[in-house]
Amino acid sequence: QLQLVESGGGLVQPGGSLRLSCAASGFTLANYAIGWFRQAPGKEREGVSCISSSGGGTYYADSVKGRFTISRDNAKNTVYLQMNSLKPEDTAVYYCAAAGFLLSIFTMAPSEYDYWGQGTQVTVSS
């Protein structure tokens, strides 16, 4: 069974940090580009960050640039999203997704992603 599972979400105060993990089972993550998306209540799903299959290319939305870092450990079949200096507006459900082929890591079109995790809640509040 092909599956992506996110973990690491939770409640954090503004200015705090969280590290999200996206673990794959049933397939080799190294063959896929991985994107992190988020969706806040009443808002559309937003592309946050993407990393190429090799890890050599990364993309960040302007809203998280300089605060979030995406990385991958293909030996552990896992991708991470380190989130620092969190703001209340970062509150959302965060999803990871795997794409076997992307025209570009910069567009973050959800339709290009083949597999999705169930999401993990991140709440930034004092």
Side-chain angles (χ1 to χ4, degrees), residues 28-67:
T28 302
L29 212 56
N31 297 329
Y32 293 81
I34 302 298
W36 283 96
F37 295 78
R38 66 186 181 186
Q39 189 164 20
K43 294 188 176 181
E44 291 188 356
R45 189 166 294 190
E46 172 192 16
V48 174
S49 182
C50 182
I51 188 167
S52 63
S53 57
S54 68
T58 58
Y59 161 81
Y60 299 94
D62 287 343
S63 56
V64 306
K65 201 172 293 181
R67 300 187 298 122

Side-chain angles (χ1 to χ4, degrees), residues 71-85:
S71 62
R72 65 191 304 154
D73 186 338
N74 286 338
K76 294 184 177 179
N77 226 23
T78 302
V79 171
Y80 305 97
L81 186 68
Q82 178 68 43
M83 306 187 297
N84 299 329
S85 303

Side-chain angles (χ1 to χ4, degrees), residues 3-120:
Q3 195 173 10
L4 288 172
V5 178
E6 302 96 337
S7 61
L11 173 64
V12 64
Q13 292 187 339
S17 298
L18 285 173
R19 188 177 80 158
L20 304 184
S21 298
C22 173
S25 61
F27 66 105
T28 302
L29 212 56
N31 297 329
Y32 293 81
I34 302 298
W36 283 96
F37 295 78
R38 66 186 181 186
Q39 189 164 20
K43 294 188 176 181
E44 291 188 356
R45 189 166 294 190
E46 172 192 16
V48 174
S49 182
C50 182
I51 188 167
S52 63
S53 57
S54 68
T58 58
Y59 161 81
Y60 299 94
D62 287 343
S63 56
V64 306
K65 201 172 293 181
R67 300 187 298 122
F68 290 12
T69 303
I70 192 170
S71 62
R72 65 191 304 154
D73 186 338
N74 286 338
K76 294 184 177 179
N77 226 23
T78 302
V79 171
Y80 305 97
L81 186 68
Q82 178 68 43
M83 306 187 297
N84 299 329
S85 303
L86 283 162
K87 304 175 181 180
E89 51 263 43
D90 294 318
T91 295
V93 178
Y94 283 71
Y95 302 88
C96 66
F101 175 76
L102 285 178
L103 289 174
S104 169
I105 64 170
F106 302 104
T107 55
M108 296 211 71
S111 60
E112 291 189 295
Y113 289 78
D114 304 303
Y115 306 109
W116 290 80
Q118 83 290 347
T120 185

